[in-house]
Amino acid sequence: MSVLIYIDHSDGQVKKSSMEALSYGVKIAEQIGAVAEGVLLGDVSTDLPSLGNFGIKKVYHIQNSLLQIFDAQSYTKVIAQVAQQTSAKIIIFSNNSAGKSLAPKVAVRMNAGYVSGAIALPETSNGFNVRKNVFSGKAFANVEVKTEIKVIALNVNAFSVSEGTGNAEVVSLNIDVEAPKVKVIGTNKTKGTVSLTEAETVVSAGRGLKGPENWKIIEDLASTLGAALACSRPVADAHWRPHNEHVGQTGIAIAPNLYIAIGISGAIQHLAGVNRSKVIVVINKDPEAPFFKAADYGIVGDAFEVVPKLTQAVKKVKGIA
Amino acid sequence: MKILVCISKTPDTTAKIAFTDNNTKFAETGVQWIINPYDEWYALVRAIELKEADPSITIHLINVGNADSDPIIRKALALGGDEAIRVNTQPADSYSTAFQIAEFARQEGYDLIFTGKETIDYNGGAVGAMLSEMLDLPYVGLATSFLLNGKTATITREIEGGEETVEVPLPVVVSCQKGVAEARIPNMRGIMAARTKPLKVVEPKQTETQTVFSGFNLPPAKAGVKLVSSENVEELVRLLHEEARVI
Ligand SMILES: Cc1cc2nc3c(=O)[nH]c(=O)nc-3n(C[C@H](O)[C@H](O)[C@H](O)COP(=O)(O)OP(=O)(O)OC[C@H]3O[C@@H](n4cnc5c(N)ncnc54)[C@H](O)[C@@H]3O)c2cc1C
């Protein structure tokens, strides 16, 4: 019996979200008395045996030039073959962009019950129950998985990475790889900035900023903090900011350690996507703004005065200035 | 060319979230129901735009649900689409929803199946991907733009840290999010036309229960905000550094 963890990577590096998934899968294996193993498709520059640091004993490394393109259909068939050959009972993904496409397909292929967006270790004393966010973070649900094989996609930033020392055995398996139907014709990566879903700190701004030309102070604060940028929906709708920065119930849901909301009123739909943040700081000139009710720290004041001062104060603490 | 758009019924985004029956069921009393925003704003509107560009396209809408879904199905038909299908069962999870849609879609043979990226109630985000696996079709998830050129689609999708544009032959299943289209409001003509569009009710196929939502609870309330004077921004940074330890 084994717990199989899918290890995602981009630009040759294993993603932080996959390290979370590895740590989570290893804990589940301990809990149920199984071995934890990883599966990685394609080429990486990371030293694979060092993935043993997360507690896995083996990494199944499937290399084939056909895997250079991410095609959910062909990837699913590969992962399912690995799961079958290794008798995996629980298969873990990160609930990141790749995991959201792969995990449900692998579940169907393995005839496994699926839980997306898990936020805690399963409760296994009475059945197999997984806790997840529902209603866009406004509530939690327990999902009981009834099938023998189970697939879980772990929310990003929901489980801390635990790293020790270990050596994983790298194993290659004989697996059929289908030619991908999908052909990549272009990529556009936001260079040098932190990915929004994985970011530990997010600086977000709303209509209170008045116009796209005023984002410099927001960008300065974000780069000082090493934070990712986000925005409210009307800001993205008005094309002040790209749509992939739109957070909330109908945008991207995030759970950073620190969320700084500047000139955002805190509408219920906005809160829904950000209320899993560990610490929320609100800067708003209106003391009645609903966001203060959901905040841990706040400053009532004009963003145009407060934000540059905040950037300076952060630089001082970080020893940058 | 036939397009299938999957439509889900969800509570309005401002609905009070509460639970009954010993916290095992969502409290539905007084709740306003809407078409899941991702399904309506992006999946459905993009299908309608494709039909506007090529009137020979047929659009079917499908919902898995009981008769309570009919009002939101009519609303969807008021935006556009030729006919709707409701599979008459309250689905238990993403799997059973995808299963019922797959059973229907297999007989019809669609060239293109659109879903929203997730529903805003149970946040499963899995129906499209599961459906594609059941039908053995390619899947492109989290699309932010969709173009059709004959028998292939050019789709931009979200990837970790950016976007990627791919080309894929039809038939394909695509999950849609912001960027794919701009939300629309139904007009009077659409509302009138929707009344006479066919809404076909089909009975569900037998399937197994894989997962059960066994209980719900609400997050603990926040302790309350600590306000810092705008004249003393350093104090906020000190608190974030020393107390909250997030800087
Ligand atoms: C179905 C549905 C789904 C939605 N989904 C989302 C979603 O996913 N995400 C989302 O964000 N919204 C969503 N919305 C919209 C949401 O209801 C709000 O309209 C939106 O979040 C408001 O954006 P905002 O806070 O930037 O703007 P506003 O509500 O206009 O607030 C601007 C704030 O800035 C403050 N301000 C103004 N000037 C200054 C200044 N100089 N310094 C400091 N503060 C200042 C004001 O006091 C005010 O609080 C959705 C709405 C609906 C109906």
Side-chain angles (χ1 to χ4, degrees):
Chain A
M1 189 165 68
S2 75
V3 174
L4 183 68
I5 303 136
Y6 174 72
I7 306 166
D8 188 22
H9 52 89
S10 78
D11 305 323
Q13 300 297 318
V14 170
K15 310 286 298 171
K16 177 180 153 234
S17 50
S18 284
M19 297 179 190
E20 294 167 356
L22 282 164
S23 308
Y24 180 77
V26 165
K27 279 273 156 36
I28 295 180
E30 282 170 16
Q31 195 176 321
I32 62 166
V35 294
E37 301 176 335
V39 54
L40 188 143
L41 277 53
D43 302 322
V44 277
S45 34
T46 308
D47 169 50
L48 292 181
S50 74
L51 292 171
N53 290 346
F54 300 101
I56 51 168
K57 297 283 174 276
K58 280 185 190 163
V59 184
Y60 299 105
H61 188 201
I62 316 303
Q63 276 174 299
N64 187 313
S65 58
L66 294 172
L67 294 169
Q68 273 165 13
I69 289 181
F70 176 70
D71 178 33
Q73 198 180 18
S74 64
Y75 266 52
T76 296
K77 288 176 184 162
V78 171
I79 298 165
Q81 286 176 70
V82 174
Q84 272 146 3
Q85 289 188 20
T86 63
S87 310
K89 285 289 168 287
I90 300 178
I91 309 164
I92 308 289
F93 291 84
S94 166
N95 198 33
N96 64 8
S97 353
K100 282 176 184 171
S101 291
L102 292 173
K105 288 177 78 75
V106 170
V108 167
R109 213 163 173 83
M110 299 296 293
N111 200 19
Y114 172 55
V115 183
S116 67
I119 53 167
L121 287 169
E123 189 48 71
T124 48
S125 53
N126 180 17
F128 191 98
N129 290 280
V130 185
R131 203 167 149 80
K132 68 164 289 187
N133 282 296
V134 286
F135 296 98
S136 312
K138 290 178 210 163
F140 304 110
N142 261 325
V143 184
E144 188 182 353
V145 187
K146 301 268 199 186
T147 47
E148 194 203 341
I149 301 175
K150 299 156 180 86
V151 176
I152 305 175
L154 173 72
N155 255 357
V156 179
N157 278 352
F159 198 83
S160 358
V161 174
S162 55
E163 204 173 344
T165 49
N167 236 309
E169 182 194 345
V170 181
V171 181
S172 54
L173 295 175
N174 196 1
I175 300 283
D176 298 327
V177 183
E178 243 178 36
K181 293 216 181 82
V182 164
K183 199 166 88 194
V184 175
I185 56 173
T187 44
N188 180 13
K189 292 221 175 181
T190 24
K191 285 252 157 49
T193 53
V194 199
S195 128
L196 178 54
T197 44
E198 284 195 342
E200 290 181 4
T201 306
V202 173
V203 173
S204 184
R207 213 146 54 176
L209 266 287
K210 312 273 190 291
E213 65 283 4
N214 296 327
W215 244 259
K216 175 98 177 41
I217 55 169
I218 304 298
E219 286 164 353
D220 284 350
L221 176 60
S223 69
T224 306
L225 286 165
L229 288 167
C231 68
S232 67
R233 180 176 157 216
V235 163
D237 281 352
H239 303 290
W240 294 2
R241 299 297 303 174
H243 57 73
N244 56 13
E245 287 183 11
H246 161 193
V247 291
Q249 186 154 17
T250 53
I252 291 163
I254 54 171
N257 285 333
L258 173 61
Y259 182 73
I260 305 182
I262 301 160
I264 301 176
S265 57
I268 188 165
Q269 298 92 355
H270 184 86
L271 295 179
V274 304
N275 57 10
R276 289 186 295 114
S277 310
K278 286 176 195 81
V279 173
I280 294 179
V281 173
V282 168
I283 298 167
N284 196 303
K285 70 173 183 192
D286 173 11
E288 301 298 323
F291 220 144
F292 284 116
K293 290 205 180 66
D296 299 284
Y297 300 96
I299 290 184
V300 178
D302 187 332
F304 297 100
E305 285 166 26
V306 173
V307 175
K309 283 198 224 161
L310 184 58
T311 307
Q312 283 315 311
V314 173
K315 280 188 177 160
K316 226 186 265 169
V317 166
K318 291 207 157 190
I320 306 173
Chain B
M1 163 106 178
K2 280 165 76 178
I3 306 179
L4 182 67
V5 182
C6 305
I7 298 285
S8 177
K9 178 189 104 180
T10 57
D12 176 61
T13 52
T14 58
K16 182 172 158 51
I17 305 303
F19 302 96
T20 60
D21 291 15
N22 208 9
N23 283 331
T24 57
K25 274 208 188 91
F26 175 59
E28 299 196 347
T29 20
V31 168
Q32 301 270 0
W33 298 95
I34 58 169
I35 311 168
N36 180 46
Y38 293 107
D39 308 347
E40 175 186 340
W41 299 349
Y42 311 123
L44 177 56
V45 173
R46 189 66 193 122
I48 294 167
E49 289 171 354
L50 294 173
K51 188 181 165 89
E52 283 166 354
D54 174 3
S56 74
I57 291 175
T58 307
I59 303 174
H60 287 180
L61 315 181
I62 190 163
N63 170 264
V64 184
N66 52 32
D68 293 352
S69 291
D70 289 350
I72 68 107
I73 298 174
R74 289 280 172 217
K75 191 185 162 207
L77 285 170
L79 280 161
D82 298 290
E83 65 174 80
I85 298 94
R86 177 166 63 77
V87 186
N88 192 21
T89 179
Q90 192 56 45
D93 57 6
S94 307
Y95 173 81
S96 52
T97 310
F99 175 85
Q100 300 299 348
I101 298 172
E103 288 299 305
F104 183 85
R106 201 173 280 126
Q107 302 157 21
E108 293 278 329
Y110 293 99
D111 303 284
L112 185 57
I113 302 180
F114 278 149
T115 71
K117 90 161 177 179
E118 65 180 38
T119 57
I120 61 166
D121 47 9
Y122 297 106
N123 306 122
V127 169
M130 287 184 167
L131 192 54
S132 73
E133 193 60 29
M134 292 166 181
L135 297 171
D136 199 20
L137 294 179
Y139 175 68
V140 180
L142 306 175
T144 57
S145 112
F146 181 94
L147 299 171
L148 195 59
N149 15 52
K151 282 278 161 203
T152 37
T154 305
I155 307 168
T156 305
R157 66 178 169 191
E158 176 192 320
I159 55 170
E160 237 28 59
E163 291 186 331
E164 173 176 272
T165 303
V166 298
E167 245 173 38
V168 58
L170 302 187
V172 61
V173 180
V174 181
S175 87
C176 302
Q177 61 171 336
K178 190 163 192 153
V180 165
E182 302 264 349
R184 290 186 179 185
I185 317 169
N187 57 29
M188 209 50 213
R189 225 179 76 219
I191 295 167
M192 298 302 287
R195 293 192 186 152
T196 54
K197 287 181 184 172
L199 195 174
K200 206 158 85 192
V201 178
V202 301
E203 288 309 315
K205 295 269 165 50
Q206 192 65 34
T207 177
E208 62 177 321
T209 304
Q210 295 195 329
T211 64
V212 175
F213 281 81
S214 52
F216 296 93
N217 60 296
L218 296 169
K222 282 258 176 186
V225 59
K226 238 184 216 180
L227 286 179
V228 176
S229 154
S230 62
E231 299 303 314
N232 196 2
V233 176
E234 285 81 10
E235 173 62 7
L236 175 65
V237 176
R238 189 193 68 78
L239 287 168
L240 293 176
H241 184 57
E242 292 174 10
E243 186 178 85
R245 297 172 182 274
V246 286
I247 288 188

